[in-house]
Amino acid sequence: MKQKIALITGATSGIGQACAERFAKGGYAVIITGRNEDRLNTIATTLRDNGHDVLTLSFDVRDRDAAAKAMAVIPQEWRDIDVLINNAGLALGLEKEYEGNYDDWDTMIDTNIKGLLTMTRLIVPGMVERGQGHIINIGSVAGDAAYANGNVYCATKAAVKALTDGLRIDLAETPLRVTNIKPGLVQTNFSVTRFHGDDERAANVYKGIKPLTGADIADVCFYAAQAPAHVQIAEVLVLATHQANGSTIVRNV
């Protein structure tokens, strides 16, 4: 039986790295992508040392030409991608919408929405042609309802939900499956990025609550991918136990 292949975007840390590790452990060959080539190589070395097959591709999903060139140079034996995990994404800033930073808006929209669309456009046609594949998009509880000062980030994750639902409709006549995983509070470098490297402010996000980990979300992704062929896990909302939604968090402080 041919080894299955998973491609994970934004695999240099957090949920993306955890997905690479979980799918490799589960028997997949993994293609890991991200902007930080050194970090990709470090992760790949660790995975290979543990006996896993890994291919690295360094590019920014915001750069459509770079993404297309990266897909074009994938070796033939790696081209039949079974699972695409559109994980690359980020939040920047926590200002009121009318006080937001234009550059932050562009980065979030170009990464979270347009980057996902680019990777879907580049990879899914091959899945359709082969009659096999699974697209897992990493959305967010933030896509269900806006929270204070989350405006543009919440809008991008609402778009992820709409795009995932739309793709599922478009592929309903095929054997392909489409899943939206919507994490709540996950302790990764997400908050450090949002606060532009302010570690102290980022740490306060997780104060008084045990948040989810990247591995928790990777387990859910793997479960969805391993479901029987007739089972499509369309959407999963995953929250920390003391988180009720995007804005209701009970902290023990």
Side-chain angles (χ1 to χ4, degrees):
M1 181 177 177
K2 172 185 169 293
Q3 186 179 24
K4 289 187 175 182
I5 299 171
L7 187 151
I8 303 115
T9 67
T12 54
S13 64
I15 293 171
Q17 180 181 349
C19 283
E21 293 167 350
R22 183 64 185 90
F23 276 76
K25 183 179 178 181
Y28 282 73
V30 294
I31 302 173
I32 57 175
T33 84
R35 293 176 295 168
N36 189 329
E37 186 172 5
D38 290 341
R39 181 68 183 148
L40 283 176
N41 290 335
T42 297
I43 294 168
T45 297
T46 300
L47 290 172
R48 290 184 185 117
D49 287 345
N50 286 303
H52 304 304
D53 294 325
V54 188
L55 177 68
T56 64
L57 296 172
S58 180
F59 63 94
D60 189 333
V61 295
R62 293 178 297 171
D63 186 334
R64 188 171 297 156
D65 290 339
K69 288 176 182 176
M71 296 305 104
V73 300
I74 293 177
Q76 188 62 43
E77 63 270 23
W78 287 87
R79 287 186 175 275
D80 293 348
I81 295 165
D82 298 280
V83 178
L84 166 63
I85 302 179
N86 278 315
N87 165 74
L90 75 169
L92 290 171
L94 203 62
E95 295 83 22
K96 295 182 184 300
E97 187 171 322
Y98 60 86
E99 298 175 334
N101 180 285
Y102 292 120
D103 291 336
D104 286 351
W105 292 352
D106 288 343
T107 300
M108 286 187 281
I109 292 168
D110 290 348
T111 305
N112 302 358
I113 301 176
K114 294 166 71 175
L116 179 148
L117 282 169
T118 293
M119 296 306 297
T120 300
R121 182 65 181 86
L122 290 170
I123 292 174
V124 174
M127 292 179 168
V128 173
E129 184 178 345
R130 295 188 300 273
Q132 179 177 338
H134 192 161
I135 302 92
I136 300 175
N137 292 332
I138 305 299
S140 172
V141 63
D144 288 346
Y147 54 74
N149 300 334
N151 41 78
V152 175
Y153 173 70
C154 294
T156 65
K157 289 304 183 178
V160 170
K161 173 176 171 52
L163 292 170
T164 305
D165 291 345
L167 182 63
R168 191 181 306 110
I169 294 167
D170 292 340
L171 293 173
E173 62 185 7
T174 78
L176 276 65
R177 300 182 295 182
V178 185
T179 301
N180 183 19
I181 306 294
K182 304 187 300 183
L185 202 61
V186 184
Q187 189 162 15
T188 63
N189 64 351
F190 176 89
S191 292
V192 174
T193 300
R194 163 168 262 173
F195 298 127
H196 299 282
D198 187 334
D199 292 327
E200 182 178 353
R201 192 177 179 191
N204 286 332
V205 173
Y206 311 106
K207 189 175 181 179
I209 186 172
K210 185 173 183 179
L212 302 168
T213 67
D216 294 327
I217 305 306
D219 283 341
V220 177
C221 293
F222 189 76
Y223 172 81
Q226 293 303 106
H230 71 287
V231 177
Q232 180 171 214
I233 309 297
E235 186 171 286
V236 183
L237 174 64
V238 191
L239 302 175
T241 298
H242 295 291
Q243 178 179 15
N245 55 35
S247 57
T248 305
I249 300 171
V250 178
R251 302 177 188 275
N252 180 22
V253 292

